[in-house]
Amino acid sequence: MEFKVLMKSLADEVGMSDGFVADEDGVVRIGSDKGESIAFAEVDEMRAALIWSRVGELPQQGAEAVKEELLKANFMGRALGGATLSLSDDGSIYLHRMLPLVLTAGDAFIGEVTSFVDHLQTWRRLLKGCEAVEKRKSEKAEEHPPAFAVKV
């Protein structure tokens, strides 16, 4: 199926009868301007649709534990519905998925996008939960210094 047709079916599904508008790079972004949008682009040479979105920031505290969870989730697509989590150079975590156009009819595409959004929301909640836990640990450590700490 053609990328433009799939995007039109998605627009119809979410009640945007005018459709979505691609930017100068051919990327369609749906969502807020706060970095929480979902982007769609056609990858011509692969005859596929690429879907991606920023999940959040790698926390400064507990980063190793978060990286371990990301790797576990990526193993054989476990916990991601076929998508992949990745870490960018600036510390942002992204979820992305490549969908072959030849295998994706309108209803199947909408189902895959729905699954992607569900997994994206789950990982955003998990990441925020990790940040909250690490913040509480840090605050408790400041409130109750170790017994051997010397105060001046």
Side-chain angles (χ1 to χ4, degrees), residues 8-145:
K8 176 66 174 135
S9 69
L10 181 60
D12 291 344
E13 181 72 18
V14 297
M16 294 189 67
S17 58
D18 292 340
F20 299 118
V21 179
D23 65 16
E24 62 276 357
D25 296 321
V27 177
V28 174
R29 296 183 195 285
I30 303 170
S32 71
D33 294 332
K34 299 175 187 173
E36 296 184 7
S37 64
I38 299 173
F40 299 81
E42 183 174 10
V43 183
D44 289 330
E45 62 274 7
M46 297 180 74
R47 295 276 308 129
L50 176 62
I51 307 171
W52 73 94
S53 185
R54 185 176 181 277
V55 176
E57 198 75 22
L58 185 66
Q60 291 182 0
Q61 295 179 335
E64 292 306 313
V66 171
K67 287 178 185 177
E68 184 177 326
E69 290 305 311
L70 296 177
L71 285 171
K72 287 178 183 177
N74 276 334
F75 181 70
M76 302 286 203
R78 191 183 109 213
L80 297 172
T84 303
L85 286 162
S86 60
L87 183 61
S88 70
D89 291 339
D90 69 357
S92 293
I93 299 168
Y94 284 86
L95 183 67
H96 51 91
R97 174 93 194 262
M98 190 79 70
L99 296 170
L101 295 176
V102 69
L103 301 176
T104 312
D107 290 342
F109 182 73
I110 290 168
E112 294 294 342
V113 171
T114 301
S115 174
F116 181 89
V117 170
D118 291 345
H119 285 90
L120 176 63
Q121 290 172 341
T122 297
W123 280 93
R124 282 181 175 161
R125 282 192 303 273
L126 289 171
L127 190 57
K128 284 181 183 174
C130 289
E131 291 168 354
V133 166
E134 291 304 319
K135 183 177 179 184
R136 283 196 298 275
K137 283 182 185 177
S138 174
E139 289 169 353
K140 282 186 177 183
E142 289 173 12
E143 291 173 11
H144 305 287

